[in-house]
Amino acid sequence: MNMRKNENCSLTARGLLWLIVLTIVLSTSAGWAESFSYEGGTLTLEAPKDQLSIRLTPQLLGLWDEYYFTPDAATQKELRTMLDELKLLNYTIDAKFWQEHPEAGYTIVDPANNTEWMMLTGNIVLYTMYELNENSAYMHRRYAECEALTAYLSPILENTLQYAFFDVTTLTGITSATLTMMDGQTETLTDPEQLYQLEYWFSNAQYVRAPSCPTGNGMLTLTTGTGEVVELLLTVDRCPYFSINGIYYDYTPAELRGAMGEGEIYPNDYLFTFFPTIQFEPVDLHPLHQQTQPLI
């Protein structure tokens, strides 16, 4: 069966908590970082301390998964008002919650107050406040309905950064696929049978919560039958994941998902065999595995 055993080293709850704290400290201590133009806006590698910003994952090759977009003063004011008016509700943030409310691919962050608002589909936002003390740290979570906030912010991101939800089921009739690696390697695939395999994988991909697997080392650029060009960010380990504008997908074949046991994955080695000139050295985060031949 085309899957491999994947043994994760899980963090303890305490370790995870301090990892979150470290992330906050690192993201707020440096102030403004280097900025650069992206589409019609500007992104930075760090969030500004004293303003709201939007953490997102654009289609960029590089060492960073996440970047920050800081809206103008008028937008800042409107966002503050909308966030203050949210009616926060208690809810158990468990697997059922995440299944019902997939991520929308971006998060509003407020480093000065140690808070963030993760946007979810269905006009839901997940509020998180980090309480940092000398010897401990706590994470308080609530959720709220946010139809007005979504209606206001989504068009700004789409019009300024071309950052919007993409329906992967439209990835059909692929006529070419170009794989580009961060080190400059590139190869274009035009074989019809292999392109059909890519289409089968990607158009049937299933949403997953943002995984721990890093992205940004490889970009797969697809041209569809309608002439549309779509970029997929690939993970740099062997996990079968890609992302489009901050939303992650698992392209494990549908007929295998139900048969896979805990810790088993469909390795992306199969995809890279279609690009033989690319020298890909995956960051193997899960070295213990078993894998067999792919099912086409």
Side-chain angles (χ1 to χ4, degrees):
M1 185 172 291
N2 344 322
M3 52 187 72
R4 73 171 197 170
K5 195 68 178 177
N6 178 6
E7 307 238 350
N8 290 306
C9 297
S10 60
L11 291 171
T12 65
R14 183 177 179 86
L16 179 59
L17 188 60
W18 282 109
L19 180 61
I20 292 171
V21 174
L22 178 61
T23 300
I24 295 173
V25 172
L26 291 177
S27 66
T28 59
S29 61
W32 282 101
E34 181 181 355
S35 62
F36 58 96
S37 296
Y38 179 77
E39 298 294 345
T42 300
L43 300 180
T44 61
L45 301 181
E46 302 286 350
K49 287 184 178 181
D50 55 351
Q51 298 182 74
L52 295 175
S53 61
I54 316 300
R55 185 173 65 232
L56 36 72
T57 305
Q59 302 303 93
L60 287 171
L61 282 174
L63 298 177
W64 287 267
D65 288 346
E66 299 175 329
Y67 300 82
Y68 296 86
F69 168 67
T70 303
D72 59 28
T75 304
Q76 291 270 335
K77 182 177 180 180
E78 186 66 23
L79 284 176
R80 287 283 185 190
T81 299
M82 289 185 167
L83 292 173
D84 289 342
E85 292 176 350
L86 290 175
K87 296 180 179 180
L88 299 177
L89 304 171
N90 292 320
Y91 191 87
T92 301
I93 311 301
D94 54 10
K96 182 175 181 290
F97 177 89
W98 290 113
Q99 185 177 10
E100 294 174 346
H101 307 294
E103 296 161 309
Y106 59 98
T107 299
I108 304 169
V109 297
D110 182 6
N113 295 300
N114 293 327
T115 56
E116 62 180 38
W117 297 262
M118 177 186 288
M119 305 300 292
L120 307 176
T121 58
N123 296 317
I124 297 293
V125 63
L126 178 62
Y127 164 85
T128 304
M129 190 272 283
Y130 302 96
E131 182 180 339
L132 309 179
N133 299 316
E134 183 177 353
N135 298 314
S136 61
Y138 300 93
M139 184 171 62
H140 304 277
R141 280 182 158 178
R142 303 289 187 272
Y143 86 100
E145 297 181 357
C146 62
E147 183 175 357
L149 178 61
T150 301
Y152 177 73
L153 187 54
S154 293
I156 293 175
L157 297 180
E158 182 171 3
N159 295 332
T160 306
L161 303 175
Q162 303 299 306
Y163 196 86
F165 172 80
F166 179 83
D167 183 1
V168 296
T169 64
T170 65
L171 289 174
T172 58
I174 297 174
T175 58
S176 72
T178 299
L179 179 59
T180 304
M181 305 301 289
M182 191 173 65
D183 61 7
Q185 295 182 84
T186 184
E187 184 177 356
T188 297
L189 175 68
T190 57
D191 179 84
E193 291 187 7
Q194 293 179 325
L195 290 173
Y196 179 78
Q197 178 62 53
L198 294 182
E199 175 183 324
Y200 174 75
W201 278 334
F202 300 141
S203 65
N204 291 290
Q206 187 175 68
Y207 161 82
V208 292
R209 284 186 62 197
S212 60
C213 309
T215 60
N217 192 45
M219 179 88 75
L220 188 62
T221 303
L222 306 176
T223 302
T224 69
T226 62
E228 186 175 17
V229 177
V230 183
E231 295 175 332
L232 313 182
L233 273 178
L234 305 177
T235 55
V236 300
D237 63 357
R238 288 193 167 93
C239 294
Y241 304 141
F242 66 88
S243 70
I244 302 179
N245 289 337
I247 301 180
Y248 290 77
Y249 299 89
D250 178 353
Y251 63 85
T252 300
E255 64 272 18
L256 290 181
R257 290 178 192 142
M260 300 178 80
E262 183 179 358
E264 291 179 322
I265 63 170
Y266 186 79
N268 68 9
D269 301 55
Y270 305 143
L271 185 153
F272 280 90
T273 62
F274 292 172
F275 301 90
T277 69
I278 298 291
Q279 296 181 6
F280 174 57
E281 294 295 334
V283 179
D284 198 345
L285 303 179
H286 320 297
L288 299 178
H289 64 275
Q290 297 174 346
Q291 91 180 40
T292 60
Q293 295 301 310
L295 176 65
I296 302 298

